[in-house]
Amino acid sequence: MIDTGWLFHNPSLGAPFSYNRLDFPRFDSLNYLIMKVFLIFTKDYATVLNLYYLLSFILCALSALFVMKHFKLSNFIAFYGSILFAFLPYPFYRGIPHFSNAAYYMIPLSVMVLLWTALGLFFKDGKISKKYLLAAFLISFLTSLQMPYNGFFMAVLTPAAGLSGFLKTKNFRAILIALFIWFSIASAFTVEQIPRLQYQAVHGVNASVAKRSITEVELYSVRLSQLLLPHFKHRVDEIADVKDRFDDTFLHTNENKTSYLGLWGAMGFLFLLFFVIFSRVEKLESTYFRNISASSILASLSALNIVAFSYATFAGFSAIFAFFVEPKIRATNRISVYIAFLSIFALCIVLDVARRSFKPKRKFFINIFLTVIFFISLLDQTSPKLIPKYDAIQENYEHDRQYFGLLEERLPDNAAVYQMPYAFYPERGPINKMTDYEHLKAYFHTSSLRWSYGSARGRQGYYWNMDLAERSPTELVQRLQNFGFSAIYINRLGFEDRAETVIQDLSNLLQQEPLISENERYATFFLPDSDVANPPYLAEPYKLGDTISFSANAHPMVFYSLGWAKPEDWGTWTLGKDARLVMQVDGSPTSNTVELSAIAQAFVNEEHPELDVEVIVNGEQVDQWEFVYGESAGGERKAVIPADLVAKQNPLEIVFKIPNAKSPAELDLSSDGRVLGLGIHELRLDNVSSPL
């Protein structure tokens, strides 16, 4: 945002192409809008991120305090509850890398809207309050913009709130209010996705980004044990050791182990879970906001808590949703923050009712008792082990700043630097000891250089880099020079041998010693004769009449721009329902008609006997290929490209649209989840006529 104003595009990343985030379905826009305000005062990325992360704790506490005070809890209890909610273990584990998850300040407000719905508070004198309706729309909308998971979880809880409101008020409009909340959430999702949908309409849907397996919804589900047992970095070593052993004993322990509710929250959770069987619930008749009884509020909180847990737990309703609707909402353990607020709020109400029952003279002792419980709970939730190693972070930061500053001095403005090892974006995961996204450090510390990291998986830059990774050092250097690169930067942590082999090969080839960082983490080689001012075409040259082999040993990936699997010995499958090639036709665009011919096979079988492929060139359909199992499932296929289409643009773009492509898993043939359509062995373009 500092360089480009927003987070969708960045020409300084993904060289020689550019960074584009529009393939990834999450934007978390509200967080970045708030950061835009910070950018008025500082352009330092670290300051902005740290300020927002720290601000999120304050906003979480204020949001929880506001909601508890809205329902007329005492200042004393509301303050303790809001602090405990803000300092859950969850945000400490998420930290800066998942700052939008850690900034859960909209959750208390969304629970407030759900309680309005469940308790019939939208109605006053038989009419729906417009003020409440507007507040509900804004809160639902902003909750979804802050973090889509939280908006989705609010949508999951809304039917329970609407049904509760209907049963309480006997007014069918309570169901309409629930639908209105759904509409508000859907509106936020739609508005946020408009740029992505526009981009995909032009450039195709990238099936390789944000791929999620249906089984992951159970892998990352919420677990009762993780909600109730202390976190694995507890301040008491003995407790931490026991939790570590517990986590090591059971399968599927992952980010769900960050969902501990704390002592206060755990007691509230158990209370809500067994609320309906407590024999003395009728005693909780203290009245709160608009004369609503404590038992009514607790009953609504209990219903929401049961729905939240039933949806997100292992083999819960989330598995059904993933199987029949959409598997991308996989990390259901993140609903633990909703459960935490419901639970903390519930225990606050119970304690507030109990505190009210004591005479003023005894309240002093009750306050002391509650204060002790509060501090025990706060100490239980927090731990010095959660404090980052700031000295080491600062030392590494200074090393990075100095090293990348030196590179920026040595290289001309707008120079492109190739980064090794290759790591695609996003969600590559660590490579040896190099963490995911670590290549971004180079960009953060420079302002005039372009870096190769940041090409979206499944797009042209991804295939270009994948091809480079398979080249010899000589071929690598030659191709980088052809594409205008000025240097090769190596993060040595990404190699098993700390890049000793790569450094030796490049030193021998380039006849130079690399520039090594002081901490010996980075090494950089400088390339000669790079034309920074006139970058080359961003497509592979192609000469009409040449045959492109799609087999693994022929380097076909240089022509791929979207929707291709990794080449195999025989050729390459398309991935998804949109596969694209791009090539720079040598010389000026031809004025002749061109014939496209391909040796191809279709993924058809008895269960999936037919496949249609639309052949589109430079934006216009030129042919449709039909494949039928047992009759015409493969062989040579041709398409004629009119001269005006060939001349329309260069580089030439060839698109294969396959609307009925299927995966082997869909057809119960294997566990292969890749959506396969067309398998191409080779492809060629030929002139077939001369201009009159």
Coordinates of all heavy atoms in Angstrom, one line a residue, residues 460 539 548 550 556-564 578-583 596 616 618 649 651-656 680 683:
Q460 N 1.5 -17.0 -15.2 CA 2.6 -17.1 -16.1 C 3.9 -17.0 -15.4 O 4.8 -17.8 -15.7 CB 2.5 -15.9 -17.1 CG 3.6 -15.9 -18.2 CD 3.5 -14.8 -19.2 OE1 2.6 -13.9 -19.0 NE2 4.4 -14.8 -20.2
A539 N 6.9 -12.6 -22.8 CA 6.4 -13.9 -23.3 C 7.6 -14.5 -24.1 O 8.5 -13.9 -24.6 CB 5.2 -13.6 -24.3
I548 N 6.0 -27.3 -30.5 CA 6.2 -27.2 -29.1 C 5.8 -28.5 -28.5 O 4.7 -28.9 -28.5 CB 5.3 -26.1 -28.5 CG1 5.6 -24.7 -29.1 CG2 5.5 -26.0 -27.0 CD1 4.6 -23.6 -28.7
F550 N 5.1 -30.7 -25.3 CA 4.6 -30.5 -23.9 C 5.1 -31.5 -22.9 O 4.6 -31.6 -21.8 CB 3.1 -30.5 -23.9 CG 2.5 -29.2 -24.4 CD1 2.7 -28.8 -25.7 CD2 1.7 -28.5 -23.5 CE1 2.1 -27.6 -26.1 CE2 1.1 -27.3 -24.0 CZ 1.3 -26.8 -25.3
P556 N 8.2 -26.9 -21.8 CA 7.0 -26.2 -22.3 C 6.5 -25.2 -21.4 O 5.7 -24.3 -21.9 CB 6.0 -27.4 -22.5 CG 6.4 -28.3 -21.4 CD 7.9 -28.3 -21.3
M557 N 6.9 -25.2 -20.2 CA 6.3 -24.2 -19.2 C 6.5 -22.8 -19.5 O 5.9 -21.9 -19.0 CB 6.8 -24.5 -17.8 CG 6.2 -25.8 -17.2 SD 6.5 -26.0 -15.4 CE 8.2 -26.5 -15.5
V558 N 7.5 -22.5 -20.4 CA 7.8 -21.1 -20.8 C 6.6 -20.5 -21.5 O 6.5 -19.3 -21.6 CB 9.1 -21.0 -21.6 CG1 10.3 -21.4 -20.8 CG2 9.0 -21.8 -22.9
F559 N 5.7 -21.3 -22.1 CA 4.6 -20.8 -22.8 C 3.3 -20.8 -22.0 O 2.3 -20.3 -22.4 CB 4.3 -21.7 -24.1 CG 5.4 -21.6 -25.1 CD1 6.3 -22.7 -25.2 CD2 5.6 -20.5 -25.9 CE1 7.4 -22.6 -26.1 CE2 6.7 -20.4 -26.8 CZ 7.5 -21.5 -26.9
Y560 N 3.3 -21.4 -20.8 CA 2.1 -21.5 -20.0 C 1.8 -20.2 -19.3 O 2.7 -19.5 -18.8 CB 2.2 -22.6 -18.9 CG 2.5 -24.0 -19.4 CD1 2.8 -25.0 -18.5 CD2 2.4 -24.3 -20.7 CE1 3.1 -26.3 -18.9 CE2 2.6 -25.6 -21.2 CZ 3.0 -26.6 -20.3 OH 3.2 -27.9 -20.7
S561 N 0.5 -19.8 -19.2 CA 0.2 -18.6 -18.4 C -1.0 -18.9 -17.5 O -1.2 -18.0 -16.6 CB -0.2 -17.5 -19.4 OG -1.4 -17.8 -20.1
L562 N -1.7 -20.0 -17.6 CA -2.7 -20.3 -16.6 C -3.2 -21.7 -16.9 O -3.4 -22.2 -18.0 CB -3.9 -19.3 -16.8 CG -5.1 -19.6 -15.9 CD1 -4.8 -19.3 -14.4 CD2 -6.3 -18.8 -16.4
G563 N -3.4 -22.5 -15.8 CA -4.2 -23.7 -15.8 C -3.5 -24.9 -16.4 O -4.1 -25.7 -17.1
W564 N -2.2 -25.1 -16.0 CA -1.5 -26.3 -16.5 C -0.9 -27.1 -15.4 O -0.4 -26.5 -14.4 CB -0.4 -25.9 -17.5 CG -0.9 -25.3 -18.7 CD1 -1.1 -23.9 -18.9 CD2 -1.4 -25.9 -19.9 NE1 -1.6 -23.7 -20.2 CE2 -1.8 -24.9 -20.8 CE3 -1.5 -27.2 -20.3 CZ2 -2.3 -25.2 -22.1 CZ3 -2.0 -27.5 -21.6 CH2 -2.4 -26.5 -22.4
D578 N -10.0 -23.6 -17.4 CA -9.5 -22.5 -18.2 C -7.9 -22.7 -18.3 O -7.3 -22.5 -17.3 CB -9.9 -21.2 -17.6 CG -9.6 -20.0 -18.5 OD1 -8.7 -20.1 -19.4 OD2 -10.3 -19.0 -18.4
A579 N -7.4 -23.0 -19.5 CA -6.0 -23.2 -19.6 C -5.5 -22.3 -20.7 O -6.1 -22.2 -21.8 CB -5.6 -24.6 -20.0
R580 N -4.3 -21.6 -20.5 CA -3.9 -20.5 -21.4 C -2.4 -20.7 -21.8 O -1.6 -21.0 -20.9 CB -4.2 -19.1 -20.9 CG -5.7 -19.0 -20.5 CD -6.0 -17.6 -20.1 NE -7.4 -17.5 -19.8 CZ -8.2 -16.4 -19.9 NH1 -7.6 -15.2 -20.3 NH2 -9.4 -16.4 -19.7
L581 N -2.1 -20.3 -23.0 CA -0.8 -20.2 -23.5 C -0.5 -18.8 -24.0 O -1.5 -18.2 -24.5 CB -0.5 -21.2 -24.7 CG -0.8 -22.7 -24.4 CD1 -0.7 -23.5 -25.7 CD2 0.3 -23.2 -23.5
V582 N 0.7 -18.3 -23.9 CA 1.0 -17.0 -24.4 C 2.4 -17.1 -25.1 O 3.3 -17.8 -24.5 CB 1.0 -15.9 -23.3 CG1 2.0 -16.2 -22.2 CG2 1.2 -14.6 -23.9
M583 N 2.6 -16.5 -26.2 CA 3.8 -16.6 -27.0 C 4.0 -15.4 -27.8 O 3.1 -14.8 -28.3 CB 3.9 -17.9 -27.9 CG 2.7 -17.9 -28.9 SD 2.6 -19.6 -29.6 CE 2.0 -20.6 -28.3
L596 N -3.7 -23.7 -36.2 CA -3.2 -24.3 -35.0 C -3.5 -25.8 -35.0 O -4.7 -26.2 -35.3 CB -4.0 -23.7 -33.8 CG -3.6 -24.1 -32.4 CD1 -4.0 -23.1 -31.4 CD2 -4.3 -25.4 -32.0
I616 N -10.0 -20.5 -28.1 CA -10.1 -19.1 -28.2 C -8.8 -18.5 -28.4 O -7.8 -18.8 -27.7 CB -10.8 -18.5 -26.9 CG1 -12.1 -19.1 -26.6 CG2 -10.8 -17.0 -26.9 CD1 -12.7 -18.9 -25.3
N618 N -6.7 -14.8 -28.9 CA -6.8 -13.3 -28.7 C -8.2 -12.8 -28.4 O -8.7 -11.8 -29.0 CB -6.2 -12.6 -30.0 CG -4.7 -12.7 -30.0 OD1 -4.1 -13.0 -29.0 ND2 -4.1 -12.4 -31.1
Q649 N -3.1 -8.8 -31.7 CA -2.2 -8.6 -30.6 C -1.1 -9.6 -30.6 O -1.2 -10.7 -31.1 CB -2.9 -8.7 -29.2 CG -3.3 -10.1 -28.8 CD -3.9 -10.1 -27.4 OE1 -4.7 -9.3 -27.1 NE2 -3.6 -11.1 -26.6
P651 N 2.1 -10.3 -27.8 CA 2.0 -11.8 -27.8 C 0.6 -12.4 -28.1 O -0.4 -11.8 -27.8 CB 2.4 -12.2 -26.3 CG 3.1 -11.0 -25.8 CD 2.5 -9.8 -26.5
L652 N 0.6 -13.5 -28.7 CA -0.6 -14.3 -29.0 C -1.0 -15.1 -27.8 O -0.2 -15.7 -27.1 CB -0.2 -15.2 -30.2 CG -1.4 -15.9 -30.9 CD1 -2.1 -14.8 -31.8 CD2 -0.9 -17.0 -31.7
E653 N -2.3 -15.0 -27.5 CA -2.9 -15.7 -26.4 C -3.8 -16.8 -26.9 O -4.8 -16.5 -27.6 CB -3.6 -14.8 -25.4 CG -4.1 -15.6 -24.2 CD -4.9 -14.8 -23.2 OE1 -5.9 -14.1 -23.6 OE2 -4.6 -14.8 -22.0
I654 N -3.6 -18.1 -26.5 CA -4.4 -19.2 -26.9 C -5.1 -19.7 -25.6 O -4.4 -20.0 -24.6 CB -3.6 -20.3 -27.6 CG1 -2.9 -19.7 -28.8 CG2 -4.5 -21.5 -27.9 CD1 -1.9 -20.7 -29.4
V655 N -6.4 -19.8 -25.6 CA -7.2 -20.2 -24.4 C -8.0 -21.5 -24.8 O -8.6 -21.6 -25.8 CB -8.1 -19.1 -24.0 CG1 -8.9 -19.6 -22.7 CG2 -7.4 -17.9 -23.7
F656 N -7.9 -22.5 -23.9 CA -8.7 -23.7 -24.0 C -9.7 -23.6 -22.8 O -9.3 -23.8 -21.7 CB -7.9 -24.9 -23.9 CG -6.8 -25.1 -25.0 CD1 -5.5 -24.8 -24.7 CD2 -7.2 -25.4 -26.3 CE1 -4.5 -25.0 -25.7 CE2 -6.3 -25.5 -27.3 CZ -4.9 -25.3 -27.0
I680 N -2.2 -32.4 -23.7 CA -1.6 -32.1 -24.9 C -0.2 -32.7 -25.0 O 0.6 -32.5 -24.1 CB -1.5 -30.5 -25.1 CG1 -2.9 -30.0 -25.1 CG2 -0.8 -30.1 -26.4 CD1 -3.0 -28.5 -25.4
L683 N 2.1 -29.1 -29.9 CA 1.2 -28.0 -30.5 C 2.1 -27.3 -31.5 O 3.3 -27.0 -31.3 CB 0.6 -27.1 -29.5 CG -0.3 -26.0 -29.9 CD1 -1.4 -25.8 -28.9 CD2 0.5 -24.7 -30.1

